[in-house]
Amino acid sequence: MPYKPPTPSPSPPPQSPSPPQTPTMPQHSHHRPPNFPFLFPKAQSTVLPDPSLFLSPSLLSSPLPTNSFFQNFTLKNGDQPEYIHPYLIKSSLSSLSVSYPSQSHNSSFIYQIFVVDLTISATNKSDPNPGKSHVISSYSDLSVTLDMPSSNFRFFLVRGSPFLTCLITGNTEITISTIHAILSFSSSNSLTKYTVKLNNNQTWLIYSSSPINLSHDLSSITSEGFSGIIRIAVLPDSDPKYEAILDRFSSCYPISGDASFTKPFCLEYRWEKKGWGDLLMLAHPLHLRLLSSKDSDVTVLDDFKYNSIDGELVGVVGDSWVLKTDPVSVTWHSIKGIKEESYGEIVDALVKDVEGLDSSAITTTSSYFYGKLIARAARLALIAEEVNFLDVIPTIRKFLKETIDPWLEGTFGGNGFLHDDKWGGIVTKQGLTDSGADFGFGIYNDHHYHLGYFLYGIAVLAKVDPAWGRKYRSQAYSLMADFMNLGRRSNSNYTRLRCFDLYKLHSWAGGLTEFADGRNQESTSEAVNAYYSAALMGLAYGDTHLVATGSMLAALEIHAAQTWWHVKEGDKLYTEDFTGENRLVGVLWASKRDSGLWFAPPAWKECRLGIQLLPLLPISEVLFSDVGFVRKLVNWTLPALGREGVGEGWKGFVYALEGIYDKEIALEKIKNLNDHDDGNTLTNLLWWIHSRGDEEEVGWEGGGKFSWFGYYCH
C-alpha cells in the first residue's frame, strides 16, 4: 500500500453536509569543503508553474517559498483563499475578500467555510491586468504584502492580527461590499471609526488613520477619495467589552513579522510596526503553551478570543514574543537502552535482515521508496552498535554506499536529484516532466519526507565511515539545505525553511498545488524524522549549529503533532462529534481536519496510526510519550485489524505502540508477523520492544525526562 497518492488531488470545495540564503547552518570557514555549496546539475522543468505571475520582479532573483501559508496567492489565478488567523482571505479582480469563518463539522471532518463577509475594492479601478489581480511585493516568516496596483491598495497580511490593514494611496474612492444585509451603521464624532452590524450576527469595525466620509446602502459602503490606513476587524461575538480593546490597539499596526532561532530551543517573534501605541496580536494554543513570560515583555489578554479551527486565538500585547520548548536530545540509540539478556533475540533477527540486503535487487526508482530502503538499512547499523554485534556493519556499510552514492553522484539510472532555478530547489529527474512522479517531488511536494530518509542514511554512513562522510559532505549539506536553509534570500540556492511554518510551528507538505483548503500535511512522524535526521547528520559532522536547529524543529513538530494531530478524549480543541470518533487526524489542512488519508479511507485506522508513527526511531518515544493517550489510541485502532486484507506492515506499527504499555503481548504479536513495512524490519520492532522501560503514564510536557542536557539549555 503506497503511503501517498500518485498525484496530489486538489481538495474538493466544501459541500454540505458531506464530507532565501546561504545553505543552512554555515560551518566555520576553516572546515568548509572546497566545493561548498554543492549544486546538483541544473534542470528545466516543464511542469512547474511560472512564479512571475504574482511575485514582484524584485523577488524573482532569489529562491522562492514553495510550501508557504500564502502559496495559493502565487498559483493559477491566485484567487483561492488562504487562512491568515483569524481570517480567510481571498484576492480576485483587484479586490480583497475577507471571511471570519464558521465551521462545518461531523464525525469525519471539520472545515472552515469561506463566506464573503466583506470585499474591499476601489470604486473606479484603473485598467486591471487581466489574470493578475495582485502582486506579492514582499513576504516574511509571519506576513505577506499584497499590492493591487490598479486599486492603489497595499494589504499588510500579518498572521494573527485581529485587524486587516490596508494602505491606500492616490486619493482613492473605496467600496466595501457584503453579501449580507447591513442592519445598522454608525460613526464616531471624529469620523475615524465606523461600526457596521450585519444580518448574520456579525459586527465589523472600520478604523481610519484620518477622517473618512463613508455612506452606505443595503449591502455596500462607499467613500469619497481617501489616502491613508484603513483597518477592519470583526468584533468577536459582537461583545462590547472586546470593542474597547480593539479601539485601544487600533492605531498600532504590524507590516511584517520575523521569527528567529535566538538560542537552543528558543524561537523569537519580532514584528515591524507603524502607528503608535502597543501591538495586539493573537496566539494559538501551542503559542500560549510555549510563550515564555520570563523572556518576553508581553501581556496575555485571557478573555479576548477569536474562534479558529486551530483552537481559540487569544490576544497577546507586545512587540516580540519568546517561545521556548522543552529540550529534546537527539540520540543515535534508544533513550533507555536494552538489557543484555535481550541481545540474542535481536541479533538473530539482525543477521537475517542484513543477509537480505541486496542493492541490485531494488526495483523502485521512486525517491520516496528508495529513501525508505536506505533508512531501513541504516537503522540496522545503529541497532548492531547498540547490541554490540559489529560483525554485520561492513555489509550494511557496503549496501549504504551502493544505494546512496549514485544519487549523490548523479549516476543512478532511473532517477536523480537536479536543481531547479525557477523556484530555487531540488527536483527529481522523473519530476521534470511529470508532476505526479515521486509523489509530486518535482513540484515541491513532500520534500522533507523524501530527503529526511536520505539524510538518515547519510548521517549513519558518515558516522560509521568518516572518510566517506568527508567526501560527500557538500552533497549531504545540499540535500539538508533544500528544506532546512535558515538564511534569508541573498545569494542562496534554497528558500528559507521550505516546509516548516514558523507561525503554526509544524511543516506543510503540499508544494506548488492549489488547494481550496490551503496547505496540508499527513505524516507528522515523517516530518519529525526529517529534522531528527538533519540533527543526526550534525552529530556525524560535529556541527553543533545543525544539531541545535534540527533538534529544535523536531521538538516543535512533536509539540504540534501532539496538539493538532493527536486527538485526546474530552479535549475541547475540536468539535465533540469529531473528537468522539477520532484519536488521530488523518490529513491536517490549513482550513480543514480530515479523518481520511491520501491513500486510505477513515475506517483503515491502522494506516492512520502507522502514517503518524513511521519510521520507528528513538525519537518516536518522545512523539508518543503520553502513555495514557497511546493506550487509548491502540484500543481505538485494534478493532480495525479484524478487517480482511489488513497489511502486516501496518499491524507492526500498531503492535509497536501497544508495546509501550504491554511489552509481552506486543512481543508475541510481532513475532507472529509474516511481513513488514518496506521501511521497517523485524530487527527494528524487536529493538523497539526491548528498549521499552517501565513506562509511567505521563507525557513529555514539562519533563527533562527526554533530555540529558536540559540543564544547560536555558
Side-chain angles (χ1 to χ4, degrees):
M1 174 55 66
Y3 294 158
K4 311 279 179 307
T7 51
S9 53
S11 168
Q15 294 166 355
S16 222
S18 86
Q21 296 136 294
T22 350
T24 322
M25 288 38 94
Q27 303 91 59
H28 302 298
S29 55
H30 63 266
H31 61 272
R32 187 172 277 197
N35 54 342
F36 187 88
F38 172 88
L39 268 194
F40 288 95
K42 290 202 180 345
Q44 295 297 315
S45 165
T46 60
V47 295
L48 280 169
D50 178 1
S52 68
L53 284 176
F54 296 103
L55 287 146
S56 156
S58 65
L59 300 176
L60 296 176
S61 57
S62 304
L64 300 165
T66 58
N67 253 309
S68 75
F69 70 96
F70 61 85
Q71 209 67 54
N72 276 345
F73 297 160
T74 71
L75 300 169
K76 294 198 174 169
N77 297 321
D79 59 359
Q80 285 300 308
E82 286 289 15
Y83 186 43
I84 298 171
H85 303 67
Y87 303 113
L88 279 168
I89 304 286
K90 192 186 267 197
S91 160
S92 70
L93 303 174
S94 297
S95 62
L96 191 115
S97 298
V98 58
S99 172
Y100 179 51
S102 59
Q103 293 178 21
S104 177
H105 54 88
N106 59 31
S107 59
S108 299
F109 62 81
I110 308 170
Y111 63 82
Q112 297 191 139
I113 305 162
F114 188 94
V115 172
V116 183
D117 292 320
L118 297 177
T119 298
I120 302 105
S121 54
T123 309
N124 305 306
K125 292 190 200 53
S126 61
D127 183 23
N129 177 348
K132 188 163 183 170
S133 61
H134 62 253
V135 175
I136 293 167
S137 57
S138 68
Y139 59 85
S140 64
D141 299 328
L142 308 174
S143 67
V144 61
T145 303
L146 285 195
D147 289 355
M148 298 187 171
S150 63
S151 302
N152 297 326
F153 289 168
R154 167 169 283 183
F155 288 96
F156 301 110
L157 301 177
V158 183
R159 309 174 74 184
S161 173
F163 300 90
L164 178 68
T165 304
C166 181
L167 168 65
I168 298 166
T169 54
N171 203 33
T172 301
E173 296 175 14
I174 314 159
T175 300
I176 301 174
S177 57
T178 175
I179 63 163
H180 313 295
I182 297 172
L183 297 183
S184 77
F185 184 84
S186 57
S187 74
S188 64
N189 293 335
S190 61
L191 300 183
T192 55
K193 175 189 170 188
Y194 288 80
T195 304
V196 185
K197 293 189 175 172
L198 305 177
N199 70 343
N200 65 340
N201 292 324
Q202 285 180 350
T203 301
W204 290 80
L205 305 172
I206 303 170
Y207 299 91
S208 58
S209 55
S210 57
I212 182 171
N213 267 310
L214 296 181
S215 53
H216 76 101
D217 57 25
L218 183 63
S219 61
S220 67
I221 299 162
T222 50
S223 80
E224 299 168 348
F226 177 79
S227 297
I229 293 285
I230 294 279
R231 305 195 80 198
I232 298 173
V234 75
L235 182 59
D237 306 323
S238 297
D239 189 329
K241 74 170 187 255
Y242 290 164
E243 186 165 359
I245 294 173
L246 288 167
D247 287 355
R248 182 177 150 204
F249 295 104
S250 61
S251 44
C252 173
Y253 60 95
I255 59 171
S256 71
D258 276 310
S260 52
F261 297 94
T262 47
K263 49 188 175 185
F265 298 99
C266 279
L267 181 65
E268 185 168 0
Y269 288 175
R270 284 190 176 279
W271 289 274
E272 187 184 346
K273 59 176 197 172
K274 294 198 168 177
W276 54 272
D278 292 324
L279 181 64
L280 170 65
M281 301 298 287
L282 300 173
H284 58 56
L286 184 49
H287 284 143
L288 292 172
R289 196 172 316 146
L290 302 180
L291 190 60
S292 172
S293 50
K294 282 205 309 284
D295 303 88
S296 321
D297 184 15
V298 294
T299 307
V300 178
L301 307 180
D302 289 314
D303 60 350
F304 181 74
K305 294 176 179 172
Y306 282 73
N307 296 327
S308 164
I309 195 166
D310 293 312
E312 288 182 327
L313 306 176
V314 174
V316 176
V317 181
D319 297 349
S320 67
W321 304 353
V322 173
L323 306 173
K324 275 187 167 179
T325 168
D326 291 325
V328 171
S329 43
V330 165
T331 57
W332 294 106
H333 304 127
S334 65
I335 293 168
K336 298 193 178 75
I338 295 170
K339 293 193 175 76
E340 218 166 309
E341 60 260 30
S342 305
Y343 285 9
E345 185 170 32
I346 296 171
V347 168
D348 289 346
L350 179 63
V351 169
K352 285 200 187 83
D353 281 328
V354 172
E355 277 171 1
L357 293 178
D358 177 3
S359 61
S360 65
I362 297 175
T363 54
T364 183
T365 57
S366 149
S367 53
Y368 176 74
F369 291 116
Y370 207 99
K372 286 187 74 177
L373 292 176
I374 289 170
R376 171 185 177 273
R379 282 288 312 126
L380 297 175
L382 294 180
I383 294 168
E385 285 184 348
E386 193 167 347
V387 296
N388 200 22
F389 189 77
L390 304 183
D391 305 13
V392 293
I393 288 191
T395 307
I396 301 169
R397 183 169 63 219
K398 176 174 178 285
F399 176 86
L400 290 175
K401 285 181 175 177
E402 289 168 357
T403 49
I404 297 173
D405 289 13
W407 286 84
L408 300 186
E409 290 174 352
T411 57
F412 180 59
N415 206 348
F417 294 128
L418 300 164
H419 190 271
D420 151 55
D421 269 354
K422 194 186 268 191
W423 292 84
I426 293 174
V427 293
T428 54
K429 202 182 293 177
Q430 290 183 3
L432 287 179
T433 53
D434 177 1
S435 62
D438 296 320
F439 299 120
F441 191 92
I443 51 170
Y444 292 101
N445 193 49
D446 288 1
H447 269 216
H448 54 329
Y449 296 167
H450 299 225
L451 296 175
Y453 285 117
F454 276 87
L455 290 194
Y456 190 86
I458 287 168
V460 172
L461 187 47
K463 177 184 194 290
V464 301
D465 189 341
W468 181 92
R470 285 191 293 278
K471 179 179 177 184
Y472 288 106
R473 179 174 183 150
S474 293
Q475 289 94 321
Y477 269 74
S478 192
L479 292 181
M480 177 273 297
D482 175 77
F483 69 93
M484 256 185 72
N485 177 28
L486 284 188
R488 294 180 191 272
R489 288 203 268 293
S490 60
N491 72 27
S492 169
N493 301 301
Y494 303 105
T495 190
R496 175 170 158 83
L497 286 175
R498 184 177 308 284
C499 303
F500 197 84
D501 183 324
L502 286 159
Y503 180 83
K504 271 303 294 291
L505 306 176
H506 63 73
S507 303
W508 298 114
L512 295 175
T513 306
E514 181 189 66
F515 293 110
D517 296 302
R519 300 303 91 203
N520 72 84
Q521 177 163 273
E522 185 174 60
S523 176
T524 51
S525 50
E526 286 180 300
V528 171
N529 174 60
Y531 304 115
Y532 168 73
S533 298
L536 288 181
M537 199 171 94
L539 286 179
Y541 283 122
D543 182 343
T544 52
H545 190 179
L546 181 50
V547 176
T549 308
S551 306
M552 170 73 175
L553 291 169
L556 291 172
E557 194 83 46
I558 288 169
H559 270 302
Q562 293 173 342
T563 302
W564 288 297
W565 274 264
H566 298 182
V567 183
K568 318 259 189 336
E569 255 179 287
D571 199 347
K572 297 286 181 276
L573 188 74
Y574 295 139
T575 56
E576 268 180 43
D577 48 4
F578 188 85
T579 299
E581 285 294 314
N582 298 286
R583 285 297 142 262
L584 288 170
V585 170
V587 181
L588 184 141
W589 300 75
S591 221
K592 181 168 72 174
R593 303 291 179 267
D594 204 328
S595 58
L597 300 169
W598 282 111
F599 62 92
W604 295 14
K605 293 176 178 177
E606 76 285 355
C607 294
R608 229 191 302 178
L609 178 149
I611 204 68
Q612 302 299 352
L613 172 60
L614 62 84
L616 197 59
L617 301 162
I619 202 163
S620 308
E621 185 165 315
V622 189
L623 180 59
F624 286 96
S625 56
D626 181 340
V627 182
F629 170 70
V630 168
R631 193 187 285 272
K632 288 180 171 142
L633 171 60
V634 172
N635 288 335
W636 172 83
T637 311
L638 283 171
L641 301 188
R643 224 177 50 252
E644 201 175 324
V646 172
E648 294 281 282
W650 297 113
K651 289 179 184 174
F653 293 117
V654 181
Y655 302 154
L657 282 190
E658 191 173 12
I660 287 179
Y661 59 88
D662 202 333
K663 278 161 62 169
E664 297 312 318
I665 284 186
L667 190 58
E668 278 313 302
K669 291 179 177 179
I670 281 165
K671 288 180 192 170
N672 287 319
L673 290 170
N674 53 39
D675 196 14
H676 301 284
D677 175 73
D678 56 354
N680 204 9
T681 55
L682 176 59
T683 304
N684 195 40
L685 285 167
L686 292 173
W687 159 84
W688 171 264
I689 295 294
H690 286 303
S691 62
R692 302 302 84 222
D694 298 316
E695 309 287 349
E696 303 151 41
E697 301 225 357
V698 292
W700 170 44
E701 301 298 333
K705 178 177 167 188
F706 292 103
S707 174
W708 37 265
F709 57 88
Y711 299 110
Y712 308 107
C713 276
H714 297 317

